[in-house]
Amino acid sequence: MKNKLLLLSLTSIFIIFFIIFYKSLQETNIYTPDEKINNEIPSFKVQLFYSNNVVNSSEIFNLDKFYLLNIWSSWCVPCRQEHPLLMDLMKNKKIKIIGINYKDTKKKAENFLLELGNPYDKIIFDKKGINAIELGAYGVPESFFIHNGKILKKIIGPLNKESIKEIKLLIK
Amino acid sequence: MLYSVIGHYSLILGLCFGLILVYLSIKNFQNSKILNSKILSFTFLQFFFVVISFLCLVLSFILSDFSNETVFNNSHSTNPLLYKITGTWGNHEGSLLLWLFVLTLFILIFLIKTKNQPIRYKILTLIFQQIIIIGFFVFLIKTSNPFNYLYPIPKEGLGLNPILQDPALAIHPPILYLGYVGSSIIFSSALAATTLNMVSKKWASHVKKWVLISWFFLTIGILLGSIWAYYELGWGGFWFWDPVENVSLMPWLALTTLLHCILVLEKRLILTSWVIILSISTFTLSMCGTFLVRSGILNSVHTFANDPERGLFILIFLFSLIFISLFIFFFFHKTNNNNLSNLFWLSKETSIVINNWFMMYFLSVVLIGTIYPIFLDVLSAQKISVGPPFYHKLIIPFLIPFLLFMTIGPKLKWIKSNLDDKIYLITLLITSILLSLLIVKNFDSGFLINTILISSAFYLFFITLRDFFTKKYTNISQNIAHFGFSLLILSILFNNLFSTEIITNLKVGQTFESSKTKIIFESIDQKKEKNYKSIIGNFSIQNLQGKLENLSPELRIYNQPNIVTSEADIKTTFISDKFIVINLVPNQDYFNVRYQVKPFMLWIWLSVVLISVGGLMSFFRKEYEK
Amino acid sequence: MKVLKLFFIIFIIFSFNHLNANNDDVKSKITKNLRCLICQGQSIYDSDSEFAHSLKVLVDKKLEEGFSEKQIYDYFKDKYGEWILYDPELNKNTYILWLLPLLIFLIGGAIISKGFIIKK
């Protein structure tokens, strides 16, 4: 009798394990971090690219406007691929593009913009990469869709046509 | 191309033989005077065709036959020959062929070498093993065929991951698999023995050989993996509690526990149920590990390419095996009156029971730590990481009593004992404590726990050493193995306490100077090899005594795949390793330099070898221990 | 035998004249506990990726600003979630994680002692 009870409980435990493992297979386990939607923009000091002034991050983003915060570098290969999309998005009056130049030298960054165009309303100079971390970024390229002082969407990796489409829909 | 066809059909033939073998075995089981000779021949043929299949894949790699999808994905025409060959098993499909190789080899040897056991037992073991083998054949052919045909035929392959291009890769997987997969035979024979109700002293002696073989190879396999990580991955660590490392450690813990229990079962007919459970669990843990590593659930440096479809197959396979074992255990196992109350508290049997208790605790820590994040993620969509701090906090405190029991346990006699040598036991204990106090007093962190831990390890060290030299051991293999274990713990502890590291950024020609060390970045050389270019940094390191060492770490830029790897330069001596690594810093003209002095690294490796030697000696002993 | 022991002891003590002074202790401890999120299973102490470098610089900065170890962990947890920490904190999510092995240990002990109480 005791044996049968033990067998039954063990079997049920293993069935539960099976179900849990089965479910875990359904989700792809790449580095999909929580998207942390609707987080407020953290407040930290940044240095502007052209003027070299130091301002607070919150001063860059007005409420009621849409912003795309884009982290880029001259040495980042996928950044070159996404750049034309940014040039295209720049034409849309409803959204402003703010750039964070990540771990770069000013000279190389300027050359990059000369070559591919400058879609950025303002550029933050993040020489050490600290500003990107303050935002909770993983690396470069990465983009944040911001409105009302909140990060609404995080796009890890280069922008593609789908993400641009999504952004355009959201700003309507 | 021809080889792919031969290889593919060999697999199908192997599968057919498996099915025939099950059929023949069932028939033979019913009238079992002698073992049907066809069974032995077919088992051999099945093994033979697996070998053919394996060789075909190796040949496809050597010939750079890119019409074969596996070769295309894992090789390149400029790869050195050695890595073309070893690339065969450095991928998911090829390593499964290795699984089949060990599975079929072991059952073949089992059938040939097992004498003095009932025919029905051999047949039943074969049936259970064939269930596993057939499962793997189907898995291979249906979801992971190494002989998929690509058309149009690509001109060049994608190349082998540079981290895998290392001599240790040649031997780490095969040896690991001999242990890991080899535990299948213990699984099958335990199930067979349970069904036939022949779990006895005789069976224990018989299966002990298999446990020792599997254990030996698993120990060496894990050792090789650690050595490979130390030399190849460039961060100076050798164990990171990475899920894939844990997955190989868990069967090892179960197997070691099983080994101790078999020793008891050989002498006295107790703990039979527990031996069966351990035998089943070891292979189950291997299968579970295979599932975790190949299904894409876990994040790790070691995982193979992820594919949930394969994961599903293994999951169903794994749980079928679990349910079959549960069924057999509960319906066939007759628990005779072998409970613990027959044991006197101060006896060798008790100390082995206590060993089991601790080992199962360690196993549960590793198991829970590895799969808990998966459970949490599914049940509440929260992602957490379980890393080294978790394992250290839960394991280290328990190591202390564990080491003490390891010291006292072997000195106890069977059935009943009173401790002899009380004087020696006490003096060596005091010596150990004093010694550790001397060593640890210069550190303020973790003073108490380090002292006690080192004392216990020293205690085991001195007692086993003394027993060895005064020939007071009852079993030399166990003496050597336990001594090796104490040496391992001591080496790891000293390595942890006394390792130093300097991290700095240097340009060519610059020098770093601290109170104890001077690092001079002398020059840079450039080299071009067959499939990579390398930048070699030449360093001179000068220590307090003015002694100069030259070290040359390397940065390799591979052409296909386009990856940069960092090759450390390590100078090994019996006292310590000097370890240096350089890394490129993007957009800068200096290098990031990491220099470490790691004492006793060599002793860590040697102690594990010593432990395995103990096991090996046990395998070759003919007479019973006293 | 005793002489051998003495030599052994002296040998050990002398080989440790070069005792270390780990002034980067806290920084190493913290960076070993932070996971490199774009690597496959490495701490930022071990990793050389961009992400790891940036994080190391930031840890330095926070230590200079006077953050305590716990505060630094909280800071990163806030940005990246719990999985950036290798040492799982003891909260309602992880009670089972920490306590289950200990529970198993106690149950094992109970089973064994139950077997012995009958006959001692």
Side-chain angles (χ1 to χ4, degrees):
Chain A
M1 195 58 240
K2 198 176 94 170
N3 256 5
K4 293 264 158 71
L5 192 62
L6 196 55
L7 176 60
L8 201 60
S9 39
L10 277 177
T11 316
S12 0
I13 293 180
F14 279 117
I15 292 183
I16 296 176
F17 273 40
F18 179 81
I19 297 177
I20 295 185
F21 279 125
Y22 178 74
K23 285 197 147 177
S24 75
L25 278 178
Q26 309 297 319
E27 335 173 339
T28 37
N29 190 29
I30 331 173
Y31 310 99
T32 40
D34 338 73
E35 300 238 298
K36 289 231 165 195
I37 312 184
N38 278 324
N39 252 20
E40 304 231 329
I41 308 174
S43 168
F44 50 97
K45 295 241 181 316
V46 299
Q47 185 185 33
L48 292 175
F49 190 86
Y50 289 112
S51 61
N52 281 336
N53 288 345
V54 175
V55 297
N56 196 303
S57 55
S58 44
E59 294 171 43
I60 301 186
F61 300 101
N62 297 327
L63 305 173
D64 289 343
K65 273 219 161 66
F66 290 100
Y67 293 93
L68 187 68
L69 183 59
N70 172 259
I71 307 180
W72 65 280
S73 300
S74 62
W75 47 265
C76 149
V77 176
C79 298
R80 295 186 151 253
Q81 287 155 358
E82 73 169 2
H83 210 79
L85 293 168
L86 286 170
M87 294 302 296
D88 185 55
L89 192 61
M90 171 182 97
K91 300 182 188 141
N92 193 313
K93 299 283 189 228
K94 291 202 182 152
I95 187 168
K96 285 199 185 205
I97 309 181
I98 312 280
I100 297 187
N101 182 240
Y102 179 79
K103 289 193 171 181
D104 215 344
T105 54
K106 284 216 175 142
K107 195 143 178 265
K108 295 199 181 139
E110 279 166 0
N111 285 342
F112 181 90
L113 294 177
L114 263 166
E115 188 191 328
L116 295 171
N118 186 353
Y120 302 113
D121 189 60
K122 290 196 180 73
I123 306 180
I124 297 171
F125 189 51
D126 188 9
K127 191 159 170 68
K128 292 205 175 141
I130 304 186
N131 301 140
I133 305 289
E134 292 276 2
L135 285 163
Y138 287 80
V140 58
E142 203 160 320
S143 306
F144 297 81
F145 182 61
I146 294 174
H147 179 59
N148 264 340
K150 292 209 171 80
I151 300 175
L152 295 180
K153 194 166 168 58
K154 194 199 278 198
I155 300 157
I156 301 177
L159 294 163
N160 52 25
K161 296 214 170 91
E162 278 95 52
S163 36
I164 296 285
K165 241 203 262 179
E166 236 187 294
I167 295 173
K168 286 189 174 163
L169 270 166
L170 284 169
I171 56 184
K172 284 220 165 63
Chain B
M1 228 187 79
L2 174 65
Y3 295 118
S4 292
V5 174
I6 300 179
H8 183 71
Y9 282 106
S10 303
L11 283 181
I12 299 186
L13 272 176
L15 172 61
C16 295
F17 275 118
L19 296 166
I20 299 176
L21 276 168
V22 173
Y23 171 71
L24 282 178
S25 307
I26 296 179
K27 272 189 70 183
N28 200 181
F29 192 77
Q30 270 130 19
N31 59 342
S32 48
K33 295 282 168 48
I34 50 165
L35 190 67
N36 190 334
S37 59
K38 281 210 218 107
I39 289 186
L40 194 55
S41 339
F42 285 177
T43 310
F44 172 74
L45 282 174
Q46 186 185 51
F47 171 65
F48 177 73
F49 280 109
V50 169
V51 171
I52 297 274
S53 190
F54 189 77
L55 285 175
C56 285
L57 189 60
V58 175
L59 277 169
S60 303
F61 266 86
I62 295 181
L63 297 172
S64 292
D65 176 9
F66 296 122
S67 70
N68 178 312
E69 190 181 5
T70 309
V71 179
F72 169 70
N73 278 324
N74 298 289
S75 191
H76 194 265
S77 47
T78 61
N79 268 357
L81 181 63
L82 175 65
Y83 300 132
K84 282 185 181 157
I85 300 178
T86 63
T88 312
W89 54 78
N91 58 78
H92 170 74
E93 298 84 359
S95 62
L96 283 177
L97 268 181
L98 207 53
W99 260 89
L100 274 175
F101 178 86
V102 179
L103 285 171
T104 47
L105 175 65
F106 270 51
I107 189 64
L108 181 63
I109 300 181
F110 179 85
L111 284 181
I112 298 178
K113 283 256 162 179
T114 305
K115 316 201 187 309
N116 307 325
Q117 296 286 345
I119 300 286
R120 296 180 109 203
Y121 163 69
K122 291 167 82 162
I123 297 177
L124 209 47
T125 307
L126 176 64
I127 294 181
F128 285 121
Q129 186 83 344
Q130 283 302 323
I131 295 178
I132 303 173
I133 292 177
I134 293 174
F136 270 91
F137 267 120
V138 172
F139 181 51
L140 205 57
I141 296 177
K142 199 161 179 298
T143 76
S144 321
N145 197 335
F147 302 108
N148 279 334
Y149 186 58
L150 282 179
Y151 189 82
I153 302 177
K155 286 210 175 46
E156 192 50 271
L158 296 178
L160 183 64
N161 188 335
I163 302 182
L164 302 178
Q165 294 187 29
D166 180 272
L169 172 64
I171 34 175
H172 163 64
I175 295 200
L176 186 71
Y177 277 28
L178 280 171
Y180 198 75
V181 182
S183 62
S184 60
I185 199 77
I186 305 171
F187 174 83
S188 309
S189 64
L191 283 181
T194 311
T195 316
L196 296 172
N197 199 22
M198 45 175 278
V199 181
S200 63
K201 294 188 198 179
K202 191 165 165 233
W203 179 76
S205 299
H206 152 77
V207 95
K208 184 168 95 160
K209 301 271 176 190
W210 290 102
V211 176
L212 279 167
I213 294 179
S214 183
W215 179 88
F216 175 76
F217 283 112
L218 191 52
T219 312
I220 301 282
I222 295 178
L223 172 67
L224 286 171
S226 291
I227 294 181
W228 174 20
Y230 176 68
Y231 281 96
E232 190 54 35
L233 291 183
W235 37 270
F238 57 91
W239 189 266
F240 195 62
W241 297 106
D242 179 81
V244 175
E245 292 172 320
N246 294 349
V247 136
S248 68
L249 186 61
M250 291 192 269
W252 186 87
L253 288 169
L255 206 48
T256 310
T257 317
L258 177 61
L259 189 57
H260 286 80
C261 285
I262 289 273
L263 293 170
V264 176
L265 189 56
E266 221 184 352
K267 294 276 171 343
R268 302 188 56 196
L269 195 59
I270 53 170
L271 298 181
T272 49
S273 325
W274 187 234
V275 166
I276 300 173
I277 295 176
L278 280 176
S279 308
I280 297 176
S281 307
T282 308
F283 184 64
T284 309
L285 285 168
S286 298
M287 282 293 297
C288 187
T290 303
F291 165 69
L292 290 173
V293 165
R294 293 168 195 264
S295 61
I297 293 188
L298 292 176
N299 265 325
S300 154
V301 194
H302 302 76
T303 45
F304 292 100
N306 313 326
D307 189 343
E309 188 212 346
R310 294 168 173 172
L312 187 59
F313 188 101
I314 307 183
L315 184 65
I316 298 179
F317 191 21
L318 165 65
F319 275 83
S320 317
L321 287 176
I322 293 182
F323 286 126
I324 294 177
S325 332
L326 272 181
F327 177 82
I328 293 183
F329 182 74
F330 277 97
F331 279 89
F332 285 97
H333 179 56
K334 293 163 183 43
T335 50
N336 28 25
N337 196 13
N338 57 5
N339 50 19
L340 296 167
S341 57
N342 291 327
L343 298 180
F344 181 63
W345 70 278
L346 193 67
S347 64
K348 188 174 277 195
E349 295 93 321
T350 316
S351 58
I352 290 194
V353 167
I354 295 184
N355 154 283
N356 273 227
W357 180 32
F358 275 83
M359 293 291 274
M360 287 300 105
Y361 167 72
F362 293 137
L363 178 60
S364 66
V365 169
V366 180
L367 184 60
I368 293 174
T370 309
I371 64 178
Y372 187 79
I374 300 173
F375 275 55
L376 190 64
D377 194 11
V378 168
L379 293 174
S380 71
Q382 291 256 37
K383 282 196 181 349
I384 61 166
S385 297
V386 178
F390 172 80
Y391 298 101
H392 291 162
K393 284 188 193 168
L394 283 181
I395 292 184
I396 292 182
F398 288 83
L399 267 184
I400 297 169
F402 187 66
L403 284 166
L404 290 172
F405 280 120
M406 251 178 109
T407 317
I408 309 283
K411 303 195 131 295
L412 301 175
K413 297 204 188 54
W414 293 104
I415 305 185
K416 184 174 168 154
S417 153
N418 41 25
L419 287 175
D420 315 320
D421 313 323
K422 289 207 178 78
I423 300 183
Y424 265 109
L425 289 178
I426 297 184
T427 36
L428 285 176
L429 180 61
I430 299 181
T431 317
S432 311
I433 298 179
L434 285 176
L435 196 50
S436 3
L437 281 173
L438 273 170
I439 294 176
V440 183
K441 73 171 164 57
N442 295 296
F443 298 90
D444 13 56
S445 64
F447 177 71
L448 186 65
I449 188 127
N450 274 326
T451 314
I452 304 181
L453 192 52
I454 299 183
S455 312
S456 343
F458 261 131
Y459 193 44
L460 178 61
F461 179 81
F462 283 131
I463 298 272
T464 43
L465 199 58
R466 184 211 154 231
D467 286 348
F468 181 76
F469 282 113
T470 59
K471 299 220 185 306
K472 262 183 183 277
Y473 47 78
T474 42
N475 181 341
I476 188 172
S477 353
Q478 168 234 76
N479 179 279
I480 293 181
H482 283 193
F483 173 72
F485 185 73
S486 71
L487 191 60
L488 177 66
I489 301 289
L490 285 173
S491 313
I492 294 180
L493 285 173
F494 290 147
N495 184 27
N496 258 341
L497 282 178
F498 297 113
S499 283
T500 59
E501 181 179 57
I502 296 172
I503 306 181
T504 179
N505 291 325
L506 286 179
K507 285 194 221 188
V508 189
Q510 276 186 331
T511 301
F512 169 88
E513 217 167 320
S514 76
S515 52
K516 299 188 173 68
T517 327
K518 199 159 126 175
I519 304 178
I520 310 168
F521 193 170
E522 306 266 3
S523 62
I524 283 195
D525 291 327
Q526 299 208 18
K527 218 170 62 169
K528 190 167 176 5
E529 294 285 341
K530 223 164 106 181
N531 57 341
Y532 63 86
K533 288 197 281 262
S534 71
I535 300 175
I536 306 175
N538 296 316
F539 289 82
S540 300
I541 319 272
Q542 195 172 47
N543 64 2
L544 274 176
Q545 282 85 28
K547 202 168 115 191
L548 219 60
E549 297 247 35
N550 289 320
L551 289 166
S552 306
E554 213 178 304
L555 278 168
R556 288 190 189 166
I557 304 148
Y558 283 84
N559 47 15
Q560 185 63 278
N562 194 311
I563 293 182
V564 179
T565 64
S566 197
E567 307 288 320
D569 193 10
I570 308 177
K571 283 240 165 24
T572 307
T573 65
F574 277 102
I575 303 286
S576 72
D577 277 20
K578 299 199 177 30
F579 186 103
I580 191 168
V581 122
I582 53 172
N583 272 294
L584 286 171
V585 184
N587 250 354
Q588 308 290 354
D589 56 351
Y590 51 76
F591 289 90
N592 179 264
V593 180
R594 241 192 221 193
Y595 171 67
Q596 300 181 352
V597 177
K598 310 179 78 71
F600 292 141
M601 279 312 295
L602 193 57
W603 289 105
I604 297 182
W605 314 134
L606 288 178
S607 52
V608 178
V609 172
L610 209 52
I611 297 176
S612 346
V613 163
L616 198 58
M617 287 180 69
S618 187
F619 179 76
F620 285 114
R621 278 161 53 91
K622 297 284 182 197
E623 78 292 358
Y624 277 149
E625 60 164 66
K626 285 202 290 289
Chain C
M1 190 63 214
K2 290 219 156 75
V3 178
L4 244 147
K5 266 190 257 169
L6 200 60
F7 271 129
F8 191 95
I9 296 175
I10 297 176
F11 166 84
I12 290 196
I13 297 181
F14 272 120
S15 13
F16 293 119
N17 273 333
H18 54 85
L19 291 174
N20 60 345
N22 255 331
N23 31 25
D24 277 319
D25 239 347
V26 181
K27 183 177 173 210
S28 303
K29 184 158 177 242
I30 297 179
T31 51
K32 281 183 187 170
N33 199 8
L34 290 170
R35 182 185 199 137
C36 165
L37 297 178
I38 60 170
C39 319
Q40 290 191 291
Q42 279 184 302
S43 64
I44 67 168
Y45 174 83
D46 295 320
S47 166
D48 284 300
S49 61
E50 281 310 315
F51 181 75
H53 272 300
S54 308
L55 241 67
K56 277 188 261 213
V57 171
L58 197 49
V59 168
D60 265 332
K61 190 164 155 243
K62 293 292 176 195
L63 280 173
E64 272 168 42
E65 286 174 16
F67 276 54
S68 74
E69 195 181 323
K70 175 135 194 338
Q71 285 171 319
I72 295 184
Y73 290 148
D74 285 335
Y75 170 78
F76 282 112
K77 239 188 0 174
D78 193 52
K79 302 242 169 281
Y80 291 102
E82 291 229 21
W83 77 313
I84 195 172
L85 292 177
Y86 267 128
D87 190 358
E89 314 209 316
L90 190 61
N91 54 37
K92 64 173 167 61
N93 275 335
T94 59
Y95 281 139
I96 300 182
L97 174 66
W98 286 98
L99 298 178
L100 189 56
L102 298 169
L103 195 65
I104 291 180
F105 186 72
L106 292 172
I107 293 179
I111 297 179
I112 294 180
S113 46
K114 202 174 74 140
F116 280 111
I117 286 177
I118 304 178
K119 174 179 184 165
K120 192 179 172 198

